[in-house]
Amino acid sequence: MSVPVSGGTPTVVATGLSTPEGMAVQQDGSLLVAEAATGFITRIDPSNGAKATVASGFNMDIRGFSLLPFVNYTADVATLKKGNIVVSNPADGSVTTLIPS
């Protein structure tokens, strides 16, 4: 959802995501979202909501997996200056760098 800086009605950018957690903006303005329930990193074009899977196979969805039942570990995604994508994977404690082709 986007909200105009000067106020106004929020605009939905994308729908149908599976437990969206981390988000980052790429240099071209597209959004990257870590979808914890599917293990996907999804790219979203904010101008039209078009979605494309950038990477998959991450085990991110570990909600409530702790001694405290309501503590969640969240997946995150970030972009680096060179365009590389970094993904945190809370299930195994790893950080993965993806190099776009």
Side-chain angles (χ1 to χ4, degrees):
M1 178 179 305
S2 68
V3 180
V5 174
S6 60
T9 305
T11 303
V12 174
V13 176
T15 60
L17 298 168
S18 298
T19 316
E21 291 186 352
M23 205 173 355
V25 179
Q26 291 191 289
Q27 291 176 344
D28 66 359
S30 60
L31 303 173
L32 293 174
V33 178
E35 293 189 72
T38 59
F40 293 170
I41 301 300
T42 303
R43 179 179 288 118
I44 300 169
D45 181 335
S47 67
N48 60 19
K51 294 181 262 186
T53 300
V54 174
S56 61
F58 294 97
N59 183 16
M60 301 180 205
D61 195 17
I62 60 171
R63 285 173 281 143
F65 183 75
S66 76
L67 297 176
L68 303 172
F70 301 108
V71 173
N72 296 329
Y73 298 93
T74 59
D76 208 353
V77 61
T79 57
L80 303 176
K81 285 184 180 181
K82 292 183 178 181
N84 294 357
I85 301 165
V86 180
V87 180
S88 68
N89 190 356
D92 66 8
S94 67
V95 175
T96 305
T97 300
L98 307 171
I99 301 171
S101 53

